[in-house]
Amino acid sequence: EISLKYGAERLGKRQDADMKRFRDNRLGAFIHWGLYAIPGGEWNGEMYGGAAEWLKAWAKVPADEWLKLMEQWNPTRFNPKAWAKMAKKMGVKYVKITTKHHEGFCLWPSKYTQYTVAQTPYKKDILGEMVKAYNDEGIDVHFYFSVLDWSHPDYRYDIKSEEDEIAFARFLEFTDNQLKELATRYPTVKDFWFDGTWDASIKKNGWWTAHVEQMLKEMLPGVTVNSRLRADDYGKRHFDSNGHLMGDYESAYERRLSDPVKDLKVTRWDWEACMTVPENQWGYHKDWSLSYVKTPLEVLERIVHAVSMGGNMVVNFGPQPDGDFRSEEKELADAVGRWMSVNGECIYGCDYAGWDKQAWGYYTRKGKEVYMVVFNSPYSRHLVVKTPKDVKITKAVVLNGKEVGVKETARNEYNVDMPAKDSGAPFVIKLQIEDNT
Ligand SMILES: C#C[C@@H]1N[C@@H](C)[C@@H](O)[C@H]1O
């Protein structure tokens, strides 16, 4: 192994109670909310199809012009309690909030910059209102934080001169101060999800990324930190130069998931995926007709897919500038919540089952119970199950339904009957097993 000062601080999964809570929560929601919600993908009469929170880049808007949007930040329909109730009904156990996205606008009254909610017509600490509302509903709060900051004159994409070194050192100190401010003001935060760490300037400062992880964990014992923050001594990101995962969970799965048959490596570590409902819109975009919008069923399948491979899934919401959600997002939260209210036990606290995936859907596992989450009903009316050696199925019951027949067709092979009544939606069969492995 290469000797590293700023490589992985731990080998294998974190096993403390806080990490177990992160893992068992399984389903989260992302809130991408910032100045970018105001133009919603349109600038000077031109509609841009790229990600709405990157409009400043697509339309090549200078920072000072972009930040003038602060004069319009006044979400009069923002109701944190209603937001928290919507999340609760959806069945999410945590919400990741963009405290500051690449644009540099802070949803909290940071004293280290003038680009915050305090300097807008809204004035109030909107982040604090969200944290309280979600926590009051028993929902954990995670902070998204963009290291990349388009509003800060000392940010550098690369370090090519003495001047760059000096400026970027000032920028790293500014960032430390903001992170300490967030950890101090909102001590119930459970996780920091870093973004915007792909530039050469950060890769050349792996030491700082290790320092940030350590600083936050000293300030907030138990807090989790994503792998995307981390770079090692040689600029290797997420996994260090010896191939060990840095941070507490891998966070590379943005709008993509590992193939559940061909690519099982993620089952070896903790990981969290995040997804958008349109093809690639995190912030509010006025026109969702510009790309395919996933149905609630397609969102649900991605949630189950992630959990079936031992990961978490975070579904994104991009609130409107007025503080309300678009109808498609309200309907999505409703639909997912209805399914989770009946079948959530195959998600919460569940993990990778280690059984060979079948065409009808996915397995998840919690101790001695294995769940079959069926998305594709076969014409044969039988669900083929191949168990590992020395594992037998003793019973099969449809969640919120009746027992179904199980017939052993060969060694470690079974036909599990379909439920008599077709619910017209994905359903879950809970298997009791004898595991003599
Ligand atoms: C690229 C990029 C960013 N990462 C996603 C989580 C969004 O914040 C997007 O803007």
Side-chain angles (χ1 to χ4, degrees):
E1 297 226 322
I2 306 164
S3 95
L4 296 169
K5 282 175 72 180
Y6 309 116
E9 56 157 31
R10 178 201 66 255
L11 299 185
K13 292 183 180 182
R14 240 181 82 168
Q15 295 300 352
D16 58 284
D18 292 286
M19 188 67 208
K20 189 172 176 336
R21 180 189 178 102
F22 174 97
R23 187 184 299 125
D24 288 352
N25 279 345
R26 285 304 185 211
L27 176 60
F30 232 137
I31 295 285
H32 269 78
W33 205 24
L35 299 177
Y36 42 78
I38 297 169
E42 184 177 359
W43 197 261
N44 288 342
E46 186 178 346
M47 191 65 83
Y48 292 76
E53 71 285 354
W54 276 71
L55 179 62
K56 177 188 175 297
W58 311 139
K60 298 185 175 50
V61 185
D64 53 356
E65 187 184 344
W66 181 265
L67 291 157
K68 282 207 180 74
L69 288 166
M70 283 173 57
E71 294 157 15
Q72 301 174 56
W73 179 267
N74 193 15
T76 49
R77 296 179 65 193
F78 173 59
N79 175 342
K81 285 196 174 66
W83 281 31
K85 287 204 178 322
M86 180 174 145
K88 185 82 178 180
K89 247 183 94 196
M90 179 175 169
V92 301
K93 297 291 187 186
Y94 64 96
V95 175
K96 300 185 103 96
I97 305 169
T98 50
T99 58
K100 179 179 83 170
H101 205 266
H102 311 330
E103 65 182 4
F105 175 64
C106 303
L107 291 185
W108 82 99
S110 172
K111 60 175 190 278
Y112 298 101
T113 173
Q114 55 184 317
Y115 308 125
T116 87
V117 276
Q119 289 80 21
T120 70
Y122 187 80
K123 294 195 186 339
K124 290 177 291 177
D125 172 8
I126 216 162
L127 180 63
E129 291 177 300
M130 283 191 241
V131 170
K132 179 173 179 347
Y134 286 123
N135 284 172
D136 285 354
E137 285 288 347
I139 294 172
D140 287 348
V141 168
H142 294 191
F143 283 166
Y144 164 109
F145 183 91
S146 174
V147 175
L148 169 60
D149 184 329
W150 290 330
S151 77
H152 202 289
D154 287 334
Y155 185 79
R156 293 292 183 277
Y157 292 94
D158 196 356
I159 310 294
K160 292 220 166 92
S161 67
E162 177 73 14
E163 194 278 332
D164 285 344
E165 290 272 5
I166 296 163
F168 202 62
R170 282 196 304 264
F171 178 76
L172 293 180
E173 188 190 355
F174 156 77
T175 306
D176 276 358
N177 286 333
Q178 285 206 316
L179 291 171
K180 283 186 273 193
E181 195 176 43
L182 285 169
T184 308
R185 291 178 60 92
Y186 313 104
T188 62
V189 65
K190 296 288 181 207
D191 172 85
F192 280 80
W193 198 95
F194 288 91
D195 200 8
T197 53
W198 44 74
D199 287 330
S201 54
I202 299 293
K203 290 195 273 193
K204 288 177 178 174
N205 285 281
W207 68 270
W208 176 76
T209 72
H211 144 77
V212 165
E213 178 176 3
Q214 192 184 357
M215 174 181 80
L216 290 172
K217 289 183 172 177
E218 279 164 10
M219 290 184 74
L220 299 169
V223 77
T224 47
V225 169
N226 70 331
S227 63
R228 193 176 295 202
L229 162 68
R230 299 284 280 100
D232 75 359
D233 315 46
Y234 299 98
K236 282 280 284 144
R237 295 182 59 237
H238 294 266
F239 290 86
D240 69 19
S241 303
N242 294 311
H244 300 311
L245 181 67
M246 296 184 280
D248 298 307
Y249 59 94
E250 190 191 1
S251 56
Y253 291 90
E254 182 175 310
R255 301 191 304 114
R256 65 189 175 95
L257 286 171
S258 273
D259 183 294
V261 175
K262 290 182 271 188
D263 183 4
L264 295 173
K265 63 179 180 301
V266 287
T267 60
R268 299 202 306 265
W269 50 76
D270 282 311
W271 59 283
E272 178 194 68
C274 52
M275 64 172 287
T276 52
V277 183
E279 173 50 30
N280 184 11
Q281 291 300 339
W282 298 88
Y284 173 75
H285 194 290
K286 285 174 184 166
D287 186 356
W288 268 20
S289 72
L290 297 177
S291 77
Y292 181 72
V293 177
K294 296 171 197 69
T295 63
L297 257 187
E298 288 167 331
V299 172
L300 205 51
E301 180 155 2
R302 283 167 173 78
I303 295 168
V304 174
H305 179 162
V307 176
S308 79
M309 297 184 80
N312 289 21
M313 175 56 87
V314 183
V315 180
N316 184 72
F317 291 81
Q320 299 170 164
D322 66 359
D324 200 358
F325 290 92
R326 63 192 328 134
S327 56
E328 300 95 324
E329 290 181 337
K330 288 178 182 169
E331 285 149 26
L332 171 67
D334 224 30
V336 171
R338 279 199 304 277
W339 192 86
M340 290 297 288
S341 66
V342 173
N343 303 290
E345 72 171 271
C346 80
I347 298 292
Y348 305 125
C350 289
D351 212 324
Y352 171 56
W355 293 17
D356 293 346
K357 183 170 180 323
Q358 301 293 334
W360 44 258
Y362 304 84
Y363 293 110
T364 64
R365 179 166 187 164
K366 194 180 313 176
K368 285 251 181 242
E369 276 143 8
V370 173
Y371 297 91
M372 299 167 64
V373 193
V374 183
F375 284 87
N376 315 303
S377 300
Y379 288 112
S380 66
R381 307 291 300 154
H382 294 304
L383 300 163
V384 173
V385 175
K386 292 181 181 168
T387 59
K389 191 169 167 305
D390 299 333
V391 175
K392 287 187 169 314
I393 297 175
T394 55
K395 193 173 177 187
V397 183
V398 179
L399 284 193
N400 199 33
K402 297 192 171 65
E403 187 169 352
V404 289
V406 179
K407 191 184 291 3
E408 191 165 2
T409 55
R411 184 191 295 277
N412 294 109
E413 284 197 31
Y414 298 83
N415 276 353
V416 175
D417 290 346
M418 293 273 287
K421 203 158 90 35
D422 179 359
S423 65
F427 59 91
V428 181
I429 292 175
K430 184 173 180 175
L431 299 177
Q432 266 161 30
I433 60 174
E434 232 171 66
D435 186 340
N436 304 310
T437 46

